């Protein structure tokens, strides 16, 4: 058994697509219309194109519990998910220069360094570097 798809709830798939590709550097893999303005929209890491796909899921627009959960995480400052990077400081500087808003600057926590940013689509995302 292996993980092939991870979903992240977004409130605007087009805005999320632009943010995740233009700012974060992900690549669009699938973009299939599903009707009602929804799409099966997946991305992959440019560094791991054969790795798991990230589904930009419009769940909060159609399923209230999803929206409530997403809002609760955002309001509490908790990340929805994490992305591993080789160098959190370098990635932080790169993203700051692209006007990405961080709620936590690079911070060492034991054996990792983390930073947290807002994806503009309802989620905090944590960057993690293993030290």
């Amino acid at each position: 058994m292996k993980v092939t798809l991870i979903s992240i709830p977004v409130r605007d798939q087009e805005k999320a697509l632009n943010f995740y590709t233009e700012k974060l550097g992900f690549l669009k893999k699938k973009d299939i219309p599903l009707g009602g303005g929804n799409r099966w929209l997946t991305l992959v890491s440019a560094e791991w194109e054969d790795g798991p796909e990230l589904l930009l899921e419009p769940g909060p627009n159609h399923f209230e519990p999803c929206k409530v959960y997403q809002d609760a995480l955002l309001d509490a400052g908790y990340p929805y998910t994490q992305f591993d990077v080789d160098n959190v400081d370098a990635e932080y500087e790169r993203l700051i220069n692209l006007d990405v808003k961080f709620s936590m600057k690079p911070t060492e926590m034991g054996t990792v360094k983390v930073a947290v940013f807002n994806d503009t689509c309802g989620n905090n995302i944590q960057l993690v570097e293993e030290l």
Side-chain angles (χ1 to χ4, degrees):
M1 193 176 306
K2 61 184 175 179
V3 175
T4 60
L5 182 87
I6 305 290
S7 69
I8 187 163
V10 298
R11 300 190 181 184
D12 182 323
Q13 285 183 302
E14 191 61 32
K15 183 178 180 182
L17 175 63
N18 291 335
F19 182 86
Y20 279 78
T21 57
E22 294 172 13
K23 306 255 182 182
L24 302 185
F26 283 88
L27 305 174
K28 182 167 62 169
K29 182 152 186 178
K30 295 177 185 151
D31 190 352
I32 303 165
L34 297 175
N38 299 306
R39 299 147 68 179
W40 184 262
L41 183 56
T42 70
L43 310 173
V44 292
S45 168
E47 300 169 25
W48 191 13
E49 291 186 43
D50 293 329
E53 294 177 49
L54 179 65
L55 173 65
L56 300 178
E57 171 66 57
N61 299 333
H62 308 289
F63 188 57
E64 187 63 23
C66 181
K67 183 178 181 200
V68 169
Y69 179 65
Q70 185 186 40
D71 285 344
L73 287 176
L74 192 63
D75 291 345
Y78 289 167
Y80 186 86
T81 194
Q82 78 176 37
F83 299 141
D84 290 357
V85 295
D86 292 331
N87 185 319
V88 166
D89 293 315
E91 196 64 21
Y92 172 81
E93 289 300 323
R94 184 184 78 79
L95 294 173
I96 284 288
N97 288 328
L98 293 171
D99 295 321
V100 173
K101 305 298 182 217
F102 280 78
S103 59
M104 176 190 272
K105 294 179 179 183
T107 305
E108 286 191 27
M109 297 181 157
T111 61
V112 296
K113 184 181 280 190
V114 301
V116 178
F117 66 88
N118 184 292
D119 75 352
T120 74
C121 302
N123 305 291
N124 288 314
I125 305 294
Q126 181 169 271
L127 299 177
V128 176
E129 170 191 352
E130 291 188 35
L131 300 174

